[in-house]
Amino acid sequence: MRAIVQKVTKASVSVDGRITGSIGKGMCVLLGISRTDTEKEIQWMVNKLVKLRIFDHPETGKPWDADLLQCNYGILVVSQFTLQCVLKGNKPDFHGAMKSEESEKLYNQFVVALREIVPNSDTLVQEGEFGAFMQVHIQNDGPVTIPIDSPESLSQQKVKPTKPSKQEKKKIDKTDQGKKDKEEKEVEKATEGMEQL
């Protein structure tokens, strides 16, 4: 699961000219659900978002010292499967994104989990419209933009060792054979020298 978090002074989402969600100060979260995500990633991400200290403390004014709950700010969630994109050359590939029907279930669970934690959630937790073509208006404050990947998503991104191509393998084999021949010649020379002694 991947989230792009933006600290905002205001943000809103509209579909066909109709506003589906809007907030004042707070954070806008673009959420991309991968095909390997489960409820475990939902809870991890929700907890991370509400505890993310990107705001000035409401009492001391100290920057980077308060989270969403301490400031009583809003959060706008927008589903965005393109966050699971992998480029193949110049073409985006979205096979890493969860299929729409399954993804919508997890997305709805994500919003429900947020509403259970955030006070006054009817007002402070807003969202876009899953699967719709949306216009997202974000007034970034700072700017502050933070990407967050769940631990499971990070483990999926580990690069697997690639096998050498046939041409590369031939070069390796040729190099190894050259080293082996050289070593054998050195052994033969050393043996001959010992015999002469």
Side-chain angles (χ1 to χ4, degrees), residues 11-166:
S12 65
V13 180
S14 60
V15 177
D16 296 328
R18 169 179 52 88
I19 295 177
T20 64
S22 65
I23 60 170
K25 281 190 174 184
M27 65 170 65
C28 178
V29 178
L30 306 177
L31 187 71
I33 300 173
S34 80
R35 59 185 177 183
T36 60
D37 285 335
T38 64
E39 292 182 10
K40 182 174 69 173
E41 280 74 47
I42 290 175
Q43 203 57 53
W44 185 93
M45 186 65 76
V46 166
N47 288 333
K48 180 64 69 174
L49 291 174
V50 297
K51 294 176 182 177
L52 191 62
R53 294 190 293 175
I54 59 174
F55 304 107
D56 296 349
H57 197 281
E59 295 178 3
T60 65
K62 185 178 179 181
W64 308 98
D65 197 44
D67 59 37
L68 195 75
L69 303 181
Q70 289 173 292
C71 296
N72 200 34
Y73 286 162
I75 180 170
L76 175 65
V77 184
V78 183
S79 63
Q80 189 173 348
F81 74 92
T82 60
L83 290 179
Q84 296 297 336
C85 164
V86 174
L87 287 180
K88 291 191 174 180
N90 292 323
K91 184 178 180 181
D93 185 301
F94 304 114
H95 284 93
M98 184 176 285
K99 291 182 179 179
S100 181
E101 186 176 340
E102 298 171 0
S103 180
E104 185 173 10
K105 290 178 182 178
L106 284 186
Y107 169 80
N108 289 333
Q109 289 176 25
F110 180 90
V111 174
V112 168
L114 263 180
R115 293 189 185 281
E116 289 176 349
I117 295 177
V118 178
N120 304 316
S121 60
D122 289 344
T123 302
L124 296 180
V125 178
Q126 299 285 308
E127 56 180 314
E129 187 174 307
F130 187 93
F133 189 82
M134 297 174 276
Q135 285 75 48
V136 185
H137 305 274
I138 301 170
Q139 188 166 299
N140 197 311
D141 185 18
V144 175
T145 302
I146 300 175
I148 301 176
D149 285 290
S150 65
E152 183 64 24
S153 293
L154 288 171
S155 67
Q156 295 295 327
Q157 293 174 29
K158 289 181 179 178
V159 179
K160 295 180 180 179
T162 55
K163 293 181 180 179
S165 65
K166 288 182 179 180

